[in-house]
Amino acid sequence: MFASEPKPEAKLLTVMRLLRWDKPAGRLILMIPALWAVFLAGRGTPPAPLVGVIVLGTLATSAAGCVVNDLWDRDIDPEVERTRSRPLASRSLTVQTAIGVAFICFICAAILALYLNPLSFWLSVAAVPIIICYPLAKRVFPIPQLVLSIAWGFAVLISWSAELSRLEIATWLLWAATVFWTLGFDTVYAMSDREDDLRLGVNSSAIFFGDFSANAVGIFFVLTSIFLAATGINLHLHFGFWLAICIATIFWGGQYNQLRQKDLPKPVYGQIFRQNVWVGFILLAGMIAGAIF
């Protein structure tokens, strides 16, 4: 629990690793649904200051979530190959420092939330308990990735209401697409840890679905495409959006075919996860184009 603090320069780099800023894919992949929502709600041209607040807010929130996750899992992470080098797992930072960093992140997110309208502000508040309790889900809930997906879905609700001060049918269609997309890519992420999680007795969607995991991911991505298409129909989006969906669906089909292979090397799961960041940005570009042109 008690670690010797590194020198200031090294400590700063260690804190950056605690916040996962050395691995931007995880930060960007939370930002993407928030940007989907604000650009669709703003018909492709939301106010620049609002976009800035949302970008900074997702960075602060995801950073806080990473620290909270590592605090809960500081005694589990040393037993998992992928996570044993994390700062709290390796005892290169103290618990007290991590709590202080999490507090600063939440304060930054709260200050940014004050810029939002009341509906968005209170949705931001409602998301906090899910962010804090998500790491506990793997101990008591068979599909903890669903809890993460719901947390990701708040990014859509907050950003959409920040632009329009209300939620619409299209909001919930995009929310459903985000939930299924997150279930898909986070199940892929969990597949790389399946042996360690089974040994430690913690839950994951990869364990729950077992040999059906690749098919489950494929179904989640199909449902993502369906709900994205329903969003596009509801908002009367144009060609650019439909082109982006076609490209995304091709990528997801390729990922599904990879996951069906036996004895897939563990690094491939991480590659598929990172590939979904690019898929998300392709869809964002299509949403902007489909709303404007």
Side-chain angles (χ1 to χ4, degrees), residues 168-188:
E168 304 174 323
I169 293 175
T171 318
W172 293 106
L173 293 172
L174 186 64
W175 177 86
T178 298
V179 167
F180 284 117
W181 182 49
T182 308
L183 268 172
F185 69 67
D186 209 49
T187 296
V188 172

Side-chain angles (χ1 to χ4, degrees), residues 101-120:
V101 171
F103 181 76
I104 292 170
C105 291
F106 277 121
I107 289 296
C108 290
I111 292 171
L112 290 164
L114 292 173
Y115 176 86
L116 306 176
N117 60 56
L119 175 58
S120 297

Side-chain angles (χ1 to χ4, degrees), residues 14-21 27 62-64 66-67 101 105:
T14 306
V15 169
M16 289 182 67
R17 288 198 300 113
L18 178 69
L19 300 172
R20 309 284 200 280
W21 286 352
R27 313 292 66 72
S62 64
C66 288
V67 181
V101 171
C105 291

Side-chain angles (χ1 to χ4, degrees), residues 147-196:
V147 180
L148 179 70
S149 300
I150 292 170
W152 243 247
F154 269 96
V156 170
L157 304 181
I158 293 165
S159 298
W160 193 290
S161 61
E163 170 65 15
L164 295 180
S165 299
R166 65 180 184 274
L167 302 177
E168 304 174 323
I169 293 175
T171 318
W172 293 106
L173 293 172
L174 186 64
W175 177 86
T178 298
V179 167
F180 284 117
W181 182 49
T182 308
L183 268 172
F185 69 67
D186 209 49
T187 296
V188 172
Y189 207 64
M191 289 170 76
S192 66
D193 294 337
R194 186 157 39 195
E195 291 79 9
D196 288 324

